[in-house]
Amino acid sequence: MDLKALDNINCVIFILTALDGTKQNGCIINTAMQVTLNPIQISVTVNKSNYTTDIIKNSGAFNLCCLDESADFELIKRFGFSSGRDTDKFSNFSDYKTAANGINYTTKGTNSVISAKVVNTVDVGTHIIFIAEVTQTIVLSDKPSATYAYYHKHIKPAPKQENTSDKSKTKWICKICGYIYEGEYLPDDYICPLCKHPASDFEKME
Ligand code: FE
C-alpha cells in the first residue's frame, strides 16, 4: 500500500489544550474536523499515550487552537516534542489567554480557537476520537491555516546533512521533526528520540 495517498488528505495542524485540575497542558494534532452544524459538533482524534488524552477523558473539555502560517517551529516543539507529564508546556510562555471554559489557548501563530465539551468517545485502537459540542469560538486572525504540507515545506527546519554520515547507509527520516535514523531496517517499535513519534512516521530516504 502506498501510504503517500493518505498525505493527500490535506489536514491542518492544531494545538489541543486541556486542563488537569490546575495544570494547563496541550499537544499537537492534525486530526480535527467539523462533524455537524446543528448542533455544532467537532471531532478530535488523539493518541491514547498522550497526557492530553487522559485529561480530556476525565475533564470532558478542550480547546482546539488552529495554527496558521505564521506559527513557528518553536511553538510546535514546545507543544509537540515533550510530554506534559514531565514538563509544564506553559512555563516561560506568554502567548496565551484563557477561554470561558478555564482552559488556556495559544494566541501566537493561531488564527482561531474552538472550545468544546465532549459528548461521545470512540475507541479506535491506538487513538480515541472525542466528539464534542462547541461552546465558544474565537477568531484571532485571518491568516491561512497551516496545513500539514505547509508545515513540512515551510515550518519544519531542513534535515541536517551530517558530514560524517556514510552515504552508502540507508537512512530513515522522521516526517514530523526531520530526525534521521541510519540503518538498513527501522525497528517496528522505534520511537523518534526528538519528537517521540513512532516508526510509522518515518520514511525511507532515497
Ligand atoms: Fe521526530
Side-chain angles (χ1 to χ4, degrees):
M1 226 185 321
D2 190 348
L3 295 178
K4 272 197 177 125
L6 300 175
D7 292 343
N8 290 328
I9 302 176
N10 213 1
C11 45
V12 171
I13 307 215
F14 308 91
I15 294 174
L16 180 69
T17 57
L19 180 62
D20 184 8
T22 55
K23 185 170 179 177
Q24 300 277 355
N25 191 58
C27 68
I28 300 281
I29 63 164
N30 64 349
T31 45
M33 63 174 73
Q34 184 180 335
V35 177
T36 57
L37 184 58
N38 187 20
I40 311 173
Q41 295 181 113
I42 58 170
S43 73
V44 294
T45 304
V46 216
N47 195 300
K48 279 181 184 170
S49 66
N50 281 0
Y51 176 44
T52 309
T53 311
D54 287 342
I55 302 176
I56 297 173
K57 265 194 327 204
N58 293 325
S59 67
F62 60 82
N63 289 337
L64 183 69
C65 312
C66 309
L67 296 188
D68 65 43
E69 291 183 356
S70 71
D72 59 20
F73 191 60
E74 281 308 307
L75 184 68
I76 286 159
K77 229 165 95 180
R78 167 178 288 273
F79 285 95
F81 290 11
S82 62
S83 171
R85 286 193 184 91
D86 321 312
T87 52
D88 176 359
K89 297 192 184 181
F90 283 91
S91 78
N92 301 316
F93 183 69
S94 55
D95 298 304
Y96 71 89
K97 282 185 179 167
T98 307
N101 59 7
I103 303 170
N104 286 355
Y105 62 88
T106 53
T107 52
K108 180 191 186 185
T110 305
N111 61 15
S112 10
V113 180
I114 299 164
S115 298
K117 203 174 69 192
V118 175
V119 292
N120 218 327
T121 299
V122 185
D123 188 321
V124 285
T126 55
H127 288 63
I128 286 183
I129 305 174
F130 293 111
I131 297 162
E133 200 167 320
V134 173
T135 54
Q136 187 186 8
T137 55
I138 303 162
V139 175
L140 297 170
S141 86
D142 55 8
K143 292 187 190 103
S145 294
T147 61
Y148 201 52
Y150 186 89
Y151 165 70
H152 281 290
K153 224 169 163 183
H154 303 287
I155 301 175
K156 186 178 78 179
K160 285 190 196 87
Q161 203 55 56
E162 289 152 38
N163 297 331
T164 52
S165 86
D166 184 347
K167 281 202 175 92
S168 66
K169 270 190 186 159
T170 305
K171 295 182 185 72
W172 306 79
I173 185 163
C174 173
K175 292 191 286 176
I176 308 300
C177 72
Y179 179 82
I180 295 170
Y181 173 88
E182 280 188 4
E184 194 56 36
Y185 301 102
L186 182 73
D188 285 345
D189 59 354
Y190 189 72
I191 302 285
C192 176
L194 205 60
C195 71
K196 314 292 179 214
H197 276 248
S200 57
D201 282 321
F202 278 75
E203 69 183 9
K204 202 172 185 173
M205 289 174 82
E206 299 305 328

